[in-house]
Amino acid sequence: MDTSSKENIQLFSKNSMQPVGRPSFKTEYPSSEEKQPCCGELKVFLGALSFVYFAKALAEGYLKSTITQIERRFDIPSSLVGVIDGSFEIGNLLVITFVSYFGAKLHRPKIIGAGCLIMGVGTLLIAMPHFFMEQYRYERYSPFSNSTFSISPCFLGSNSPLPISVMEKSQSKINNGCVQTVAIIGPIFGFLLGSLCAKLYVDIGFVNLDHINITPKDPQWVGAWWLGYLIAGSISLLAAVPFWYLPKSLPRPRSREDSNSSSEKSKFIMDDHTDYQTPLGEKAKIMEMARDFLPSLKSLFGNPVYFLYLCASTVQFNSLFGMVTYKPKYIEQQYGQSSSKANFVIGLINIPAVAFGIFSGGIVMKKFRISMCGAAKLYLGSSVLGYLLFLSLFALGCENSDVAGLTVSYQGTKPVSYHERALFSDCNSRCKCSETKWEPMCGANGITYASACLAGCQTSTGSGKTTTFNNCTCVGTAASKSGNSSGMVGRCQKDNGCPEMFLYFLVISVITSYTLSLGGIPGYILLLRCIKPQLKSFALGIYTLAVRVLAGIPAPVYFGVLIDTSCLKWGFKRCGSRGSCRLYDSNAFRHMYLGLTMILGTMSIFLSIAVLFTLKKKYVSKHRSFRTKRERTMESTRISKENCTTSDHLLQPSYWPGKETQL
């Protein structure tokens, strides 16, 4: 290693320990040769940090894409899936406040690296249950190889040898753009990875796929949800490596220090030596830093603009987190799409719209040099317009699929009265069927039956995916165009204009996502400008903590609880306990999902209005105070000048009283 390299390393490692007011080595000898190492280290840091953001966003996006897969694989309700999704944020509750406060004064790169290691290991652990559980068993008609009877088709006669127990148990431009941009790209790849894994069978590599009787379009299909977590965890572990080789702090380039146009975020990332410098040879004491913790927290919450913006963002993110978590499920249940396609359209259409909206908001802020009040107005305007557009989604729903005994009667008429024995009718009264089974069969009349047994089918031909049921008494009872009384495995596809509704939904959803995300950068700038510079790191930590703990954890849970109330047919585990929902009421699901999102969005709008009024009041009062102080200063300056002129005149050496008269 040459001498100049050693000097630069010493400069990087000792820069934060310089006494206050003492000029740095770089200040004394500014040269282009010494700027290069700083820029190089900064680029490495930004690249590594961007990769970390990508890894974290990839894991979060992939988690959202596997909600329905996990629900089916472990046969659990949406409310419990919401708890699993919310637990992803619980770690933030334990460490983020202290890391945001102490991290600004300790070795930041190593703290980030340690966090990446923990995140990577945690992501890998999510996939571990797959390797310790038995293979996935789905409910499907499957004749016994050593018997003359089958489970699902109706077995006539009172002396049936089929035991009920058998039926029951079968189931800066660069600095500001690059980190946030990569953070948006991460979820795109997360959902696309989820789409790819959803096409692969859950037990791929462990079973013979030729023996699988269902397809990815089947509602009982479970994709290889675990595979993406192995990939995301490995990427997180890889992202930790560069941070162990970076110095504790990076000196700001001179051009940046002297520039008045340096961005808020670059000031946040770099060390502000006027606030955190310590005398040479001394180290910051943990207890001394901890002593300032509560006063700093009090100062933050004593700022009305910061507090109201924090409340508005928390409520809005409750709306957004709940909506995004169950959006794939909503697309599947409302429009009859597969999990793979739902994840694909979200990753390829919705998230890029969000990224473009955030980018557009930043461009508007920069081009028009918008003030704090202007940023608050833009943040409020995007929320109002976005939620107004969101209202139109209430009209873009599909009707319930025709399911005998659940959404239509066995005669094909609506409405149907829900009761305990709704799945049984005269057409299947002679069959010994289980009402807990969900082995959907699509009849020739376009009606879906919970099982071939409940459809009254007496014979079957073919096997696996090509199984056909014949002589189905319930199918013949309902009006059929062809007069055919047969059926095929699987649910009937939604028609009645549902594909067109799905296209309209995608268009409105993209426009809404873009509009809501326009206020992202203005809100972020408003957050940074309304607090003292020395509290920015701590304020961002508290903001992140509030959003993730008060929105990221509870929102998926109570959204899931309300979604569960719209379930029409629950599945049951082999132990007899309730499993996951097999069929939802489409109308109730739509009103619960969209209605709760709108209620939370409306609350955030009112809080955003309060932010704007508080900011205006504070700005106007400060402006008046500034004007009064300036006028007072100008008046005192004028008097001082007059006094100084008189004093200077009196203190001239050649002056003495009576000089003018004597001359």
Side-chain angles (χ1 to χ4, degrees), residues 291-566:
R291 197 177 297 123
D292 295 333
F293 181 82
L294 289 179
S296 299
L297 188 65
K298 184 179 179 181
S299 176
L300 281 181
F301 286 108
N303 187 330
V305 176
Y306 176 82
F307 181 74
L308 287 173
Y309 177 77
L310 183 67
C311 294
S313 298
T314 302
V315 175
Q316 186 177 42
F317 274 104
N318 268 273
S319 169
L320 298 179
F321 277 140
M323 180 185 66
V324 172
T325 299
Y326 294 100
K327 194 166 190 176
K329 185 182 185 71
Y330 180 77
I331 293 176
E332 292 177 45
Q333 297 294 332
Q334 191 70 212
Y335 302 103
Q337 304 296 323
S338 65
S339 298
S340 177
K341 187 172 183 180
N343 292 327
F344 183 78
V345 297
I346 292 175
L348 202 64
I349 299 177
N350 273 94
I351 298 180
V354 173
F356 187 59
I358 293 176
F359 180 77
S360 301
I363 291 295
V364 170
M365 288 290 295
K366 180 180 182 299
K367 184 176 180 62
F368 297 99
R369 301 182 180 276
I370 297 178
S371 63
M372 286 183 65
C373 287
K377 291 178 182 177
L378 186 57
Y379 175 77
L380 174 62
S382 67
S383 298
V384 172
L385 182 58
Y387 284 107
L388 286 176
L389 289 170
F390 194 82
L391 276 173
S392 61
L393 296 181
F394 280 93
L396 300 179
C398 295
E399 293 297 323
N400 287 313
S401 300
D402 292 338
V403 182
L406 294 176
T407 60
V408 296
S409 67
Y410 274 87
Q411 288 72 36
T413 59
K414 299 180 182 180
V416 63
S417 58
Y418 301 103
H419 54 85
E420 185 179 355
R421 304 284 294 175
L423 288 174
F424 296 97
S425 179
D426 293 336
C427 62
N428 58 26
S429 59
R430 299 179 60 192
C431 304
K432 290 194 173 182
C433 305
S434 169
E435 60 180 332
T436 62
K437 288 292 182 183
W438 179 250
E439 303 169 356
M441 186 210 78
C442 180
N445 54 4
I447 297 177
T448 299
Y449 297 86
S451 67
C453 180
L454 288 170
C457 300
Q458 301 176 30
T459 60
S460 65
T461 58
S463 61
K465 304 173 185 177
T466 60
T467 302
T468 302
F469 301 97
N470 304 305
N471 301 324
C472 304
T473 55
C474 293
V475 176
T477 300
S480 176
K481 295 180 181 179
S482 61
N484 191 356
S485 60
S486 63
M488 297 287 294
V489 292
R491 288 170 57 177
C492 298
Q493 295 295 321
K494 289 188 176 183
D495 45 14
N496 57 25
C498 198
E500 290 77 10
M501 284 291 185
F502 180 55
L503 292 178
Y504 298 147
F505 168 81
L506 289 181
V507 173
I508 298 298
S509 179
V510 167
I511 298 175
T512 302
S513 299
Y514 172 80
T515 305
L516 287 174
S517 60
L518 272 175
I521 293 298
Y524 186 78
I525 297 300
L526 175 63
L527 173 68
L528 289 175
R529 289 181 180 175
C530 72
I531 52 180
K532 298 177 182 178
Q534 63 268 26
L535 293 177
K536 285 182 182 179
S537 175
F538 188 43
L540 288 173
I542 294 296
Y543 175 80
T544 306
L545 175 71
V547 166
R548 295 196 174 276
V549 173
L550 301 180
I553 294 177
V557 178
Y558 61 76
F559 263 82
V561 170
L562 286 178
I563 288 174
D564 281 341
T565 61
S566 64

